Amino acid sequence: MKPIFGRGPSLQLRLFLAILLSVGLMLADSRLDAFANVRYLLNSAISPLQYAANLPRDMLDGVSGQLSSHQRLLAENKALKRDLLVKQSDVLLLDQLKQENQRLRELLGSPFVRDEKKLIAEVMAVDSDPYSHQVMIDKGRVDGVYEGQPVINEKGIVGQVSYVGAHNSRVLLLIDPTHAIPVQVVRNDIRVIASGSGQIDQIQLEHVPSSTDIEVGDLLVTSGLGGRFPEGYPIGHVTEFSFDNKRPFAQIKARPTVQFDRLRYLLLVWPTPRETLMLGEADSGN
């Protein structure tokens, strides 16, 4: 039986013809540029497909770049905040150092600081007992501190050393009720005894007759009697003078020149040879 469709050329022949046709077309295009227009049209037709194929990659690259930029900005922002915090803490420390430097300059440059040997001490702690006014300082026996040593600052008399340890000491403040000190009025050299009242802004003058010439505003300084405190250091200003006929003595109050709620740096004072001699004479007289 004869088949409906006859057999065509063999596969080998068709492959040979296709190769021959391709070589001929390539030679014609390379020599005669016969398919330039065809290539242009095909490229124009295919280019939208190329853009469409590259679109997902471009979108992913854009998103990746944005995420990377966002992460980089977050990291930079965090680093800047950390640097700003460090700089702010440095500024705070600088302000504190400036204040401490100013206090030390005032302490050493005070007109009340004379030629006595002196040593700067820093307050370490404040006594928490409401009935006792004492502070602990960072200088002790190894620094030559002794009991009864006068303690001052740039404003005047702070108190005296009441206990000495190896590396620290305790200072009994002028305002403590158990503290008393001989003073004199600058205006007329009247000598009286000032004692603490237990209040940080007040001291009182003891056993002063009502007829004594003391006025509000008078400056009180150390008299040097007893040889413990050098002469001439400020104590306070008289703020109140009153008397009652039924009482033998006047009630006199004064405001200390020292701000006892703001103590930080103090000066330990060693008497000059003249004051040491006076102290020795006072001790021998006793």
Side-chain angles (χ1 to χ4, degrees), residues 182-241:
V183 301
Q184 67 182 19
V185 180
V186 172
R187 180 171 57 86
N188 51 22
D189 290 336
I190 291 178
R191 291 179 172 85
V192 292
I193 299 296
S195 61
S197 65
Q199 302 179 28
I200 62 173
D201 59 349
Q202 182 178 292
I203 56 176
Q204 54 195 11
L205 304 186
E206 300 284 351
H207 310 300
V208 180
S210 58
S211 60
T212 305
D213 182 17
I214 296 179
E215 300 176 356
V216 173
D218 280 342
L219 174 63
L220 305 173
V221 299
T222 52
S223 65
L225 296 179
R228 175 151 297 180
F229 291 92
E231 181 181 358
Y233 282 96
I235 296 294
H237 291 85
V238 176
T239 57
E240 181 180 335
F241 185 98

Side-chain angles (χ1 to χ4, degrees), residues 79-95:
L80 289 174
K81 286 183 177 180
R82 184 171 59 252
D83 293 342
L84 178 61
L85 181 60
V86 173
K87 297 300 182 184
Q88 287 177 339
S89 65
D90 291 341
V91 170
L92 292 176
L93 181 59
L94 179 61
D95 291 339

Side-chain angles (χ1 to χ4, degrees), residues 22 42 52 57 59 87 112 114 130 147 151 164 175 207 212 225-226 229 236 241 259 266 284:
S22 298
L42 291 176
R57 187 186 68 180
M59 292 179 62
K87 297 300 182 184
F112 307 124
R114 300 174 301 193
E147 290 187 8
V151 181
V164 180
I175 56 176
H207 310 300
T212 305
L225 296 179
F229 291 92
F241 185 98
Q259 294 177 301
L266 308 177
S284 63

